[in-house]
Amino acid sequence: MKFRSKASVSAVLAAAALLAMPPTVASAGGGSPVGRAEGRFLPSSYFPPDAVFPPAAVTYDWTKVPVGTHITVVERTGARTTGVELAVSGLLPNRVYGAHAHTKPCGRAPEDAGPHYQHIKDPHQPSTDPAYANAANEVWLDLTTDARGRAVAESTHDWRFRRGEARSVVIHDHGTMTDPGDAGTAGARLACLTVPFV
């Protein structure tokens, strides 16, 4: 599915602006805000390979993460802690989505964001071992939207990101699995927001 003109995207974004304001992001575990990213999702076709300033928020599946959906991610840190807060508006109503911090910035293709960020890296990739692929070792931000397509999530950890190794938040097709062989998986990558994690 592709837009034929930027005017079409403008019309969709104008309609999306009529959505309710995004929900307020709560404070995950206290700490000071050190990183913040927000935006409205544009189609991945608006991410040219040679873009100097590519869009921060891209959607790969417009039927599940509509163009114009609003997303905000805030990172807070304490002396030895990290909290990540996620708020969205404009998603499909009454639906569960998976969401995780990933290692690379968003790109034109869903896989460009790399694997999940892991505090202790699994030597076997892709990681589906629950000893590594779990909510304590990764940043899981699964969402359940309300009747208006709004949701908030937060994740707090007693560790800090390694500099430059966490660069995005990816929204996935369903909630995160926990069983061996499937741990950490949440279906297709639907959308991505590049985040300047510290």
Side-chain angles (χ1 to χ4, degrees):
M1 184 172 177
K2 293 184 178 179
F3 282 108
R4 295 185 183 271
S5 70
K6 289 188 179 182
S8 299
V9 171
S10 297
V12 171
L13 291 177
L18 299 176
L19 294 170
M21 291 301 293
T24 303
V25 177
S27 177
S32 302
V34 294
R36 180 185 176 93
E38 66 180 307
R40 292 192 183 272
F41 288 108
L42 291 173
S44 56
S45 59
Y46 272 64
F47 201 123
D50 58 348
V52 177
F53 298 107
V58 293
T59 177
Y60 307 108
D61 186 333
W62 308 350
T63 63
K64 295 177 181 174
V65 178
V67 170
T69 295
H70 187 272
I71 182 170
T72 302
V73 173
V74 176
E75 177 190 10
R76 297 181 182 273
T77 60
R80 292 186 176 88
T81 61
T82 298
V84 179
E85 306 155 355
L86 169 63
V88 294
S89 64
L91 290 175
L92 300 184
N94 304 311
R95 190 184 193 285
V96 176
Y97 292 86
H100 314 106
H102 282 245
T103 60
K104 296 181 181 179
C106 307
R108 188 177 180 86
E111 62 272 12
D112 291 345
H116 293 180
Y117 177 88
Q118 293 184 319
H119 176 59
I120 300 172
K121 294 181 183 180
D122 186 343
H124 303 288
Q125 295 292 329
S127 180
T128 57
D129 179 349
Y132 297 93
N134 61 66
N137 194 47
E138 300 182 348
V139 176
W140 292 6
L141 296 158
D142 287 13
L143 302 160
T144 301
T145 58
D146 65 14
R148 299 172 68 185
R150 296 161 32 130
V152 295
E154 61 181 64
S155 181
T156 304
H157 299 277
D158 60 358
W159 43 260
R160 301 282 295 274
F161 287 121
R162 293 180 296 278
R163 187 169 296 276
E165 293 189 34
R167 303 291 305 279
S168 61
V169 168
V170 172
I171 297 177
H172 293 263
D173 190 42
H174 58 72
T176 307
M177 310 288 281
T178 58
D179 294 332
D182 290 321
T185 63
R189 299 179 185 199
L190 304 179
C192 182
L193 175 70
T194 297
V195 182
F197 287 118
V198 174

